[in-house]
Amino acid sequence: MAPTEGTILRNYLLLPSRLPSIISLQEFTALFPKSQHSSPHVRALYRDLQQQRNAVVDAVSASIDAEVKQAKALRRTIVRTKKESEFEEKDDEIEIERSLFGSTSTTIAPKQHSLQSIIPELDNALLDVESDLKQLEEEEIALLGSIKQAAGNMSDLRYGRLSNPNLGSEVIDGLHGIQETCKQKT
């Protein structure tokens, strides 16, 4: 089985990135003067560097996971777009090309599945649908929150409860300032 994008990125970016892979504690200690080799501060410094490095590696790992999910979503979108375009457009040139030359890169024939090949495809489709559903739920929550906030703000305005108690007097002062400016211009 060919390595996946996630596997390649993890093997290339994560495996050689841990601090012990780069420099061992003994090698790190050897970089200090001999009088400091047995100091607990050297070991503490190494552990601190190791924690910082682990945090960076964890962030890179999370980015790889996000990139893999984004790539799957992109592939899903491409497949969906191709399927939609096949149903929408029946091009005579493509039909003639198919009859003369058979299936080409522009006219991809549907993939035939066996029982062993369909199960992973169905699992991927299920993951894709769950991912889409989760994204839609997150969008729904964000939209509902903004609608509730807007409705709450309107309710405060309707009943005269403003977050800025001086807003009314500030608006009136502003209007008086505009009137004075208009009077000076005439």
Side-chain angles (χ1 to χ4, degrees):
M1 182 176 195
T4 63
E5 176 185 14
T7 305
I8 292 170
L9 289 172
R10 281 184 186 82
N11 288 341
Y12 181 73
L13 295 174
L14 298 182
L15 290 180
S17 297
R18 302 283 179 186
L19 188 60
S21 301
I22 298 169
I23 187 169
S24 69
L25 178 60
Q26 291 77 21
E27 293 170 336
F28 184 75
T29 312
L31 296 174
F32 289 90
K34 289 198 184 269
S35 61
Q36 299 296 320
H37 282 202
S38 61
S39 173
H41 297 295
V42 173
R43 182 177 294 259
L45 180 61
Y46 182 80
R47 297 292 176 232
D48 184 51
L49 288 173
Q50 192 173 20
Q51 287 176 349
Q52 290 177 21
R53 188 70 180 182
N54 287 344
V56 169
V57 169
D58 291 342
V60 170
S61 178
S63 295
I64 289 172
D65 292 340
E67 184 65 31
V68 167
K69 285 181 184 178
Q70 184 178 6
K72 284 183 181 180
L74 183 60
R75 279 192 295 272
R76 208 173 40 247
T77 304
I78 290 170
V79 167
R80 191 177 302 144
T81 305
K82 282 184 179 179
K83 286 181 182 178
E84 288 173 359
S85 68
E86 285 178 8
F87 290 123
E88 291 175 2
E89 297 178 14
K90 292 292 183 181
D91 192 1
D92 291 336
E93 290 180 23
I94 292 177
E95 294 301 322
I96 293 171
E97 185 179 322
R98 281 186 185 150
S99 64
L100 290 175
F101 304 112
S103 180
T104 64
S105 64
T106 60
T107 60
I108 299 171
K111 184 177 177 182
Q112 299 296 323
H113 286 288
S114 67
L115 184 59
Q116 285 75 23
S117 69
I118 194 74
I119 292 174
E121 291 292 327
L122 289 174
D123 287 340
N124 286 339
L126 177 65
L127 291 174
D128 293 343
V129 169
E130 288 174 347
S131 170
D132 287 346
L133 182 62
K134 184 177 180 181
Q135 183 180 5
L136 287 172
E137 287 172 347
E138 290 171 356
E139 289 176 16
E140 175 195 13
I141 290 170
L143 286 172
L144 184 62
S146 69
I147 289 170
K148 284 182 177 180
Q149 182 181 8
N153 291 343
M154 288 181 199
S155 172
D156 289 348
L157 184 62
R158 179 178 176 191
Y159 295 112
R161 292 177 290 170
L162 302 174
S163 58
N164 182 357
N166 298 329
L167 184 62
S169 62
E170 289 175 4
V171 169
I172 291 172
D173 291 342
L175 290 173
H176 286 300
I178 291 173
Q179 283 177 343
E180 291 298 321
T181 305
C182 290
K183 285 180 184 177
Q184 291 173 358
K185 296 288 180 177
T186 58

